[in-house]
Amino acid sequence: MKTTKIGFIGGGNMAASLLNGLVASGHEPKRLWVSDINPETLANLSASLDINVTQSNHEVIRSVDVVVLAVKPQILAQVAQEIAPLLQQHQLLVSIAAGINQASLSKWLGADVAIVRCMPNTPALVLTGATALHANDKVNPDQRDLAETILRAVGIALWVDDESELDAVTAVSGSGPAYFFLLMEAMEKVAVELGLNEATARLLIQQTALGAAKIALESSETPGELRKRVTSPGGTTQQAIETFEAGGFSQLVSKALRAARDRSVEMSKQMEAN
């Protein structure tokens, strides 16, 4: 893997996070390429990581074994069609663009291109991301390993067998950080109303969220079991939990995630039709 040449089309935040993760994990910077239309973006990446930078997508394609498409979904069709004639049979395409399905990617890039579609989330920016991957039938085992290794540079990476599962992944982990931020935002507001100053409230909530996630990750118990462990009968936590449930908390979460999943399906269909 560390000798594989990897190129990024687009040098935005997610690409920069993956590049940082790859370098931190020991990948040779001179085997990494990135192209972007913004000279300042390229200069910053070159200065911080000492990788190869260019404004030419063609130069990246000519130089690498793996091409990571990291441009905005709105321009992906244009970029994919531009690079399609340059692709070589051995190259792997990894797309991290949200809402662009395999059918659209294959239509733009070519039916014989090995493509892995990924759904990373924003915690990848701090190397704690959660990414789901799906490969088309042109991807061989070595290429699967390559794609997984690239995404593991910024967190965990899991494969799904059916591409439709990525719509559920989008609703759960893709949009998920915003749900936790929403809860933290609401808790902070009430904490201030209860008499805490804003800085104290924010730090307590942030550390509590971090601690709860760490316990859940390191425990073999389910979230439900962990919740029961910290919910003493007749205590303050039970009172809060019962209040949540009386307000329809579980039903609201179900409705919200299903709405996000349905919107992901709708967006994919819209992009495929264009």
Side-chain angles (χ1 to χ4, degrees):
M1 167 64 191
K2 292 179 180 179
T3 62
T4 302
K5 298 174 182 178
I6 305 170
F8 289 75
I9 307 295
N13 287 337
M14 194 63 72
S17 298
L18 286 164
L19 287 162
N20 273 284
L22 287 166
V23 172
S25 65
H27 203 93
E28 172 59 48
K30 288 306 179 186
R31 294 183 181 272
L32 297 172
W33 275 258
V34 61
S35 63
D36 198 277
I37 60 173
N38 189 330
E40 184 178 354
T41 295
L42 296 176
N44 290 338
L45 288 170
S46 178
S48 62
L49 297 174
D50 196 28
I51 61 175
N52 302 287
V53 299
T54 176
Q55 288 184 291
S56 169
N57 294 340
H58 293 198
E59 184 178 346
V60 171
I61 300 298
R62 289 195 301 265
S63 305
V64 303
D65 307 301
V66 182
V67 180
V68 181
L69 294 174
V71 298
K72 295 183 183 299
Q74 298 90 327
I75 64 169
L76 184 55
Q78 175 187 338
V79 172
Q81 289 166 347
E82 173 200 336
I83 66 173
L86 304 171
L87 295 176
Q88 302 171 54
Q89 189 172 6
H90 74 280
Q91 288 178 315
L92 170 67
L93 268 290
V94 177
S95 172
I96 62 173
I100 310 294
N101 61 25
Q102 290 277 9
S104 295
L105 291 168
S106 294
K107 179 174 68 175
W108 301 330
L109 294 164
D112 294 327
V113 177
I115 301 172
V116 172
R117 181 184 166 199
C118 305
M119 184 64 234
N121 63 2
T122 53
L125 302 178
V126 290
L127 307 185
T128 53
T131 302
L133 305 91
H134 178 266
N136 70 5
D137 58 7
K138 308 300 180 184
V139 177
N140 64 43
D142 288 340
Q143 290 173 326
R144 282 176 65 98
D145 289 343
L146 279 173
E148 183 175 334
T149 301
I150 292 169
L151 273 300
R152 282 192 183 278
V154 292
I156 66 168
L158 308 170
W159 290 94
V160 296
D161 294 326
D162 192 319
E163 186 184 5
S164 66
E165 293 178 69
L166 290 179
D167 294 312
V169 169
T170 298
V172 174
S173 59
S175 301
Y179 312 155
F180 290 102
F181 295 146
L182 179 64
L183 177 60
M184 293 165 71
E185 180 184 7
M187 289 177 66
E188 181 182 319
K189 179 181 178 182
V190 177
V192 171
E193 292 172 355
L194 293 175
L196 296 177
N197 68 60
E198 188 176 287
T200 298
R202 183 169 300 171
L203 188 57
L204 285 171
I205 292 164
Q206 290 170 342
Q207 186 67 17
T208 300
L210 175 63
K214 186 173 175 62
I215 289 173
L217 279 168
E218 296 179 358
S219 175
S220 60
E221 295 181 286
T222 67
E225 291 168 337
L226 293 173
R227 173 180 56 78
K228 291 174 183 176
R229 280 186 174 275
V230 296
T231 306
S232 302
T236 58
T237 307
Q238 181 177 340
Q239 192 69 42
I241 295 296
E242 289 178 352
T243 303
F244 275 131
E245 293 298 352
F249 182 81
S250 296
Q251 293 86 348
L252 188 59
V253 170
S254 175
K255 185 177 180 180
L257 266 64
R258 291 175 188 277
R261 187 274 315 274
D262 293 347
R263 178 57 179 154
S264 178
V265 172
E266 181 183 15
M267 290 172 64
S268 290
K269 289 179 178 178
Q270 289 172 347
M271 294 301 297
E272 187 175 359
N274 292 336

